[in-house]
Amino acid sequence: MKVLVTGGTGFIGANVVRHLLARGDEVACLVRDSSPRLCLEGLDVTLVTASLSDPEALKRALDGVEAVYHLAGVFDPSPRGRALMQAVHVDGTRALCDAALAAGVRRLLLCSSSVTVGFGPRHDPGDEETPFRDLDEIYGSDGPLRWYHDTKRAAEALVCGYIPRGLETVIVCPDYIIGAWDIKPTSGALVLTMCKRFVPVYPRGGKCFQDADDCAAGHLLAVDRGAPGRRYLLGNENHAYREFMDIIARVTGQRPPVLPLPRAAAELAGFAGAVGSRVDPHRFAGLDRYVLRSMAQARYRSGARAIRELGVPQTPLEVSVEKAVRWFRDHGYV
Ligand SMILES: NC(=O)c1ccc[n+]([C@@H]2O[C@H](COP(=O)([O-])OP(=O)(O)OC[C@H]3O[C@@H](n4cnc5c(N)ncnc54)[C@H](OP(=O)(O)O)[C@@H]3O)[C@@H](O)[C@H]2O)c1
């Protein structure tokens, strides 16, 4: 099958591309001039340099393509993040869907995010149907997490609108993904930091983790077996950050964290970020109050639907951390 992948130069995309090649698909990747090529080096893929805002180039790239894996995405907490996330997640997705429809593509998978899925405590984790109680309280009324949520949610609604027109769209919502090829690094940042040094404190919250290979498998299974318009949360094990960091410590030989990050310290950092970003919005962008708060809260979710309906594999988190650590070491990050 001939497929097109966006976001193939990034962490999850690199894993998806490898799974597609392993089963014999003919893979083309949409890349930018500026895209790092490390994740695709030595692979039998066709690189198509085109922008998500160039409808003609997209149409050409989609010639003969049966399925699109649309993973291109960005989380940018700086002031330009709002426009960027809107351009990539919403405008880019719309342009890609229009071009896919015109080119007669059968299926398009949107890689959204667990940020659009409600959460719960460990004994009652959220799933694809769990509503948010108060979005302003969880992500803020205006700020990077809110922009990320709103543009990802808009993209989900947008792709569903193409189903009656003949393009079968399916949505996956990855949670906290760990594994090889995290070149930026995104979700592997904590693993990488702990490879390098002792981190004494741990955030009080928790998340749902999944292996990057399982996440990639989930993308392929969603295209093969997913129901059009359905959302599939991609996540496996729920862990407190403390447990996650204990696993990283075991794998890296580092000392585990000893102290919970005091709530007041997180709030103070958020306050400092808010004040600092008035002076230098780019420098203090990472210290967003709601990003810090999200780490202090138990935000558990269940990937049971994808496991049950699609057959997504369930690799233990310790194995995923081992893969991430090995990859960082092999590629000179440590
Ligand atoms: N990592 C996670 O735990 C996680 C969790 C939930 C959802 N996700 C979603 O998964 C997808 C992949 O994320 P990732 O973790 O693999 O991140 P990543 O390593 O940062 O990769 C992002 C990919 O998107 C591409 N991209 C960014 N802006 C673009 C633009 N304006 N035009 C075209 N392509 C653009 C990047 O291309 P360049 O190489 O050219 O920059 C890269 O290939 C994203 O949609 C993200 O929201 C990730």
Side-chain angles (χ1 to χ4, degrees):
M1 173 157 68
K2 188 172 174 191
V3 302
L4 181 80
V5 179
T6 75
T9 50
F11 168 40
I12 299 180
N15 286 279
V16 168
V17 166
R18 281 165 177 76
H19 280 242
L20 290 165
L21 291 172
R23 73 168 184 191
D25 281 359
E26 184 185 339
V27 182
C29 289
L30 199 77
V31 298
R32 304 187 278 181
D33 274 330
S34 60
S35 298
R37 303 294 202 263
L38 174 67
C39 290
L40 301 175
E41 249 167 37
L43 299 182
D44 185 16
V45 296
T46 306
L47 302 187
V48 183
T49 307
S51 159
L52 282 169
S53 59
D54 182 346
E56 278 313 309
L58 290 178
K59 223 162 99 187
R60 281 196 300 278
L62 288 163
D63 187 35
V65 164
E66 220 175 300
V68 175
Y69 293 79
H70 179 33
L71 281 79
V74 62
F75 177 77
D76 183 341
S78 77
R80 65 179 191 146
R82 180 183 216 148
L84 197 58
M85 292 189 234
Q86 170 72 26
V88 180
H89 300 156
V90 185
D91 305 338
T93 300
R94 185 184 297 108
L96 189 63
C97 285
D98 282 340
L101 194 64
V105 170
R106 187 176 59 83
R107 277 216 155 189
L108 181 142
L109 171 132
L110 170 72
C111 176
S112 180
S113 163
S114 64
V115 77
T116 67
V117 177
F119 50 82
R122 207 157 176 170
H123 64 272
D124 185 21
D127 64 21
E128 295 84 348
E129 308 306 325
T130 306
F132 287 100
R133 267 201 301 272
D134 185 347
L135 271 180
D136 288 358
E137 176 63 26
I138 294 165
Y139 297 136
S141 57
D142 184 31
L145 264 183
R146 186 58 184 266
W147 307 330
Y148 189 61
H149 166 275
D150 287 359
T151 55
K152 285 286 191 183
R153 196 77 186 107
E156 292 180 1
L158 192 150
V159 299
C160 289
Y162 283 80
I163 299 170
R165 298 164 65 187
L167 179 64
E168 294 176 3
T169 53
V170 191
I171 299 156
V172 290
C173 301
D175 212 310
Y176 200 132
I177 309 303
I178 296 292
W181 298 104
D182 198 354
I183 57 159
K184 295 264 165 77
T186 57
S187 42
L190 186 53
V191 177
L192 180 58
T193 304
M194 285 184 68
C195 281
K196 294 178 179 172
R197 61 180 167 84
F198 170 54
V199 178
V201 294
Y202 58 88
R204 290 169 185 268
K207 290 281 283 179
C208 184
F209 297 84
Q210 188 183 46
D211 183 82
D213 274 305
D214 295 352
C215 179
H219 281 64
L220 274 65
L221 287 162
V223 167
D224 296 347
R225 303 181 191 164
R230 202 151 168 79
R231 295 200 299 160
Y232 299 94
L233 189 281
L234 294 179
N236 182 26
E237 293 179 19
N238 281 312
H239 285 286
Y241 276 99
R242 166 81 201 249
E243 295 161 347
F244 175 45
M245 292 171 77
D246 281 351
I247 292 174
I248 304 171
R250 258 202 313 280
V251 172
T252 55
Q254 192 58 266
R255 273 187 297 153
V258 284
L259 287 172
L261 185 67
R263 274 182 225 290
E267 286 295 326
L268 198 65
F271 178 71
V275 175
S277 56
R278 284 193 204 135
V279 183
D280 185 344
H282 290 274
R283 182 144 176 233
F284 290 93
L287 281 182
D288 177 73
R289 179 182 304 164
Y290 292 92
V291 173
L292 293 163
R293 214 176 261 176
S294 76
M295 296 176 76
Q297 203 179 33
R299 296 192 172 178
Y300 295 120
R301 299 184 176 90
S302 164
R305 174 187 284 178
I307 293 163
R308 193 176 58 242
E309 296 181 15
L310 305 178
V312 175
Q314 296 169 269
T315 302
L317 179 58
E318 184 147 349
V319 175
S320 321
V321 172
E322 283 166 7
K323 288 195 258 185
V325 169
R326 198 177 316 127
W327 191 85
F328 285 134
R329 285 184 175 153
D330 288 351
H331 290 80
Y333 283 70
V334 182

